[in-house]
Amino acid sequence: MSERFIPIVDRRANPVPPIPADAGPATGNLADVRGRRVRDLRISITDRCNFRCTYCMPKTVFGRNYPFLQRQELLSFEEIVRIARVFVAHGVEKIRLTGGEPLLRRYVENLIEQLAAIPGLELTLTTNGSLLARKARDLKAAGLHRVTVSLDALDDATFQAMNDVGFPVGQVLAGIDAAAAAGLSPVKINMVVKRGTNESSILPMVRRFKGSGHILRFIEYMDVGSSNGWCLDEVLPSAEVVRMIDAEFPLEPIDPNYPGEVAERWRFRDGSGEIGVISSVTQAFCATCTRIRLSTEGKLYTCLFAESGHDLRTLLRSGASDADLSAAVAGIWRGRADRYSEIRAAATARPDAPTRRIEMSYIGG
Ligand code: SAM
Ligand code: SF4
Ligand code: SF4
């Protein structure tokens, strides 16, 4: 199959709002136009990955000659930490490192060490688990609190068809074990469910992880980006996933850990743990969305489905002070009105609907 080049790098940029001369200090109470606070910052630290999951980085697009970002285009660790500090002052309580595959970024432990030194922050990372068995202890020693590991099936045939690079399940399982042994727990395990591809793996995954202390979460296949050929028929609604599990292992709903938690939680009635479902397609949670995303080269996205981001890197590299950065970030969040999942049908039916959207591997999950 020939490669289609649809570079994921966002060459456009929304303006960074003008910085008022009298911008006061951050108060931790920044609210957007719908009254939502900023609480959760996701930082993509590389746009590269050693997998080619068909729903995220299909080989037909992300082939051998794909123009990934060059080193000088990436935010440096120092730049990332500066931005992180500004966000924490504005109320961010949790930072998740993601990508691409974040464990491919060289010296990621050094970045973790610097972020972990910021007081009052929960620091987590999402990984495909391929390098976790080797790195779990160093990540923990650097100050990482928890990891989320993506795993879409327990049998090699299904998993390898989905990661599309022949990566075996056993090595991801070894990574999960190493993470738990290192104390990066509870380990969360994310399974993207695609109807017709891996729904037969749902119950085997439950049987494997029930009672392990890990938290298995089922994610509806989403229409992120424009390269995965998404169609609604391939979405298995979370309600069906819950029904399927409940028939073998009775479940009961439990309260969220905190307001705005994205995963809906269910507990096994026999007391052997819990699962979560993330229903991004069938049950929009925009009303409580407190997330913001920083791309690998320093663009800030106020929604996973944003068409373009705000270029903080240019601001950083033109000598902006921390106060300037803080005011810029505040202006961007205050102007945020995103609610794509609530209006998905109408948004995609519009004649002027964008034909190209930012890819998951670029913006981070
Ligand atoms: N490479 C790491 C990994 O796979 O965990 C981190 C980045 S990945 C983009 C983050 C998360 O997004 C993963 O759990 C992945 O399964 C999920 N993801 C990617 N594309 C998706 C899609 N189209 N729908 C739902 N989840 C998706
Ligand atoms: Fe890579 Fe993660 Fe995307 Fe899979 S989901 S291709 S592991 S970035
Ligand atoms: Fe948040 Fe955008 Fe997702 Fe809605 S669609 S939950 S605003 S990221």
Side-chain angles (χ1 to χ4, degrees), residues 49 55-56 98-102 126-128 150 190 192 219-222 224 228 360-361 365:
C49 189
Y55 54 74
C56 179
T98 176
E101 174 45 43
T126 303
T127 173
N128 62 24
S150 304
N190 277 358
V192 174
I219 305 180
E220 285 177 354
Y221 172 40
M222 278 188 282
V224 219
N228 63 8
M360 191 78 140
S361 55

Side-chain angles (χ1 to χ4, degrees), residues 99-122:
E101 174 45 43
L103 297 186
L104 289 181
R105 178 86 186 243
R106 286 178 82 195
Y107 310 119
V108 62
E109 298 82 0
N110 295 353
L111 173 63
I112 290 170
E113 212 165 273
Q114 292 173 52
L115 291 172
I118 304 175
L121 194 60
E122 189 189 341

